Amino acid sequence: MILLNSDKEILDFEVSKVQVMLLLDFDDESEKALQLAWNIAEELLDKENIWVEVIPIHTWIGDPLGIEYADLPKIIINGKTMFIGRAPTKKEFIEAILDRVNKGAFIKEEAFITAARIWDQGFLAAALVDTF
């Protein structure tokens, strides 16, 4: 991100990115988790320069027994499930996000093929992809 100050100089600073996916039900606990995620995202951007991408996914389960097995809400931070079946406290949520800063598949941006196996008539049958 680039900012211009009063002297028209360009200041550049780093922003860490974290992806928070919330698998939600239509209940109070899920609503509480979603509201907390939005509030923390704003707070961390202002205070810690961390961009928190909040992705809410509401899940409709028609079977009453299925709701019990789903254990919603589930909170996944940078690809790791961190909370299941409850909304965390503000302190727990912030600590979990800070723990996952610069970790997980969301941050990786480059990949290359390290090995490939060519199948009949030149079609690619399998490829081993490595990220760095």
Side-chain angles (χ1 to χ4, degrees), residues 1-2 11-17 45 48-51 102 109:
M1 179 179 276
I2 297 175
L11 303 174
D12 194 10
F13 61 94
E14 291 289 321
V15 176
S16 297
K17 296 178 184 177
L45 183 60
E48 302 290 333
N49 208 25
I50 297 173
W51 177 266
N102 297 328
E109 297 176 356

Side-chain angles (χ1 to χ4, degrees), residues 27-44:
D27 63 354
D28 292 336
E29 196 70 14
S30 292
E31 182 65 29
K32 179 180 169 185
L34 180 59
Q35 188 63 44
L36 186 61
W38 287 120
N39 292 341
I40 289 173
E42 290 179 15
E43 181 179 325
L44 288 178

Side-chain angles (χ1 to χ4, degrees), residues 108 110-112 129-132:
K108 298 191 189 273
E110 298 184 35
F112 59 95
V129 178
D130 214 357
T131 58
F132 60 96

Side-chain angles (χ1 to χ4, degrees), residues 8 10 24-25 30 35 38 40-41 46 48 50 55 60 66 68 70-71 100 107 129:
K8 305 292 183 198
I10 298 176
L24 304 168
D25 192 7
S30 292
Q35 188 63 44
W38 287 120
I40 289 173
D46 292 341
E48 302 290 333
I50 297 173
I55 303 170
W60 181 265
E68 293 178 18
D71 282 335
R100 300 300 298 163
I107 301 302
V129 178

Side-chain angles (χ1 to χ4, degrees), residues 2 6 32 53 55 60 67 77 82 85 94 98 106 108-110 113 117 123 125-126 131:
I2 297 175
S6 59
K32 179 180 169 185
E53 180 182 6
I55 303 170
W60 181 265
I67 294 172
I77 303 172
M82 302 296 282
I94 291 174
L98 294 177
F106 182 71
K108 298 191 189 273
E109 297 176 356
E110 298 184 35
I113 296 177
R117 184 176 190 186
F123 291 105
T131 58

